[in-house]
Amino acid sequence: MELFLQIITNRILIVGVVSWFLAQVLKCISNLILTKQFSIERLFGDGGMPSGHSATVTSVAIATGLYEGFDSALFAIAMIVAIVVMHDAMNVRYQAGKQAQLLNVMAEVFERVTGADLPNEEKLKELLGHTPLQVICGGILGTATAILMYLFF
């Protein structure tokens, strides 16, 4: 029971979860504004504005610095992990999404031209990564969330 209490009262963990949740809610709102349709998938899905990954890891890194010290080994580890995650979201996963988009178009054209059905009946997921702006906005959201929660809680 004490372990469970330690987990649910861990300030850094709470900051990360709150930051992720805020990013996902903002993602739903931005998607609603852009498409004029509400999509519950945006609440849990990857890609979109702002980056939930960036918001989460940035808030954890900043909160770690605030609570443990910006000269601590824990902050250094959290910051390096944040940089790796944001780089991955902006480059590797973003490019994978672009490839999925192209493959979906190619599959659609192939089926239309040949009349043959490809074995994969569902389209590949295209929203995997983030643009630099989405990553930056997620980082700003994560930083602001960590600072505000540190100041007010």
Side-chain angles (χ1 to χ4, degrees):
M1 188 60 163
E2 186 175 327
L3 175 65
F4 178 72
L5 188 59
Q6 289 174 352
I7 291 170
I8 65 169
T9 60
N10 182 310
R11 295 174 294 191
I12 296 170
L13 180 60
I14 292 168
V15 166
V17 170
V18 168
S19 191
W20 170 82
F21 180 75
L22 290 173
Q24 296 305 109
V25 168
L26 288 172
K27 199 179 292 190
C28 281
I29 293 169
S30 69
N31 186 68
L32 178 63
I33 292 168
L34 290 172
T35 66
K36 308 285 189 255
Q37 293 178 327
F38 177 76
S39 172
I40 193 71
E41 192 272 330
R42 300 304 323 134
L43 191 58
F44 301 102
D46 297 327
M49 172 67 93
S51 166
H53 289 85
S54 297
T56 304
V57 295
T58 302
S59 68
V60 166
I62 298 300
T64 301
L66 291 168
Y67 289 113
E68 302 296 331
F70 287 96
D71 62 345
S72 69
L74 290 175
F75 171 72
I77 293 166
M79 198 68 221
I80 293 298
V81 168
I83 290 167
V84 169
V85 168
M86 290 188 289
H87 179 269
D88 180 68
M90 216 172 24
N91 293 298
V92 178
R93 289 188 308 110
Y94 183 72
Q95 290 302 319
K98 290 295 215 184
Q99 289 175 357
Q101 192 175 31
L102 180 60
L103 286 170
N104 285 335
V105 169
M106 290 171 62
E108 187 179 308
V109 169
F110 178 81
E111 287 179 349
R112 220 176 323 159
V113 170
T114 65
D117 286 335
L118 292 174
N120 187 8
E121 293 178 17
E122 59 187 65
K123 292 178 81 171
L124 296 172
K125 186 175 178 184
E126 297 175 5
L127 273 175
L128 298 173
H130 297 281
T131 64
L133 180 62
Q134 293 168 342
V135 169
I136 290 167
C137 289
I140 292 169
L141 174 64
T143 300
T145 302
I147 292 169
L148 289 173
M149 290 186 73
Y150 177 78
L151 291 175
F152 294 108
F153 300 103

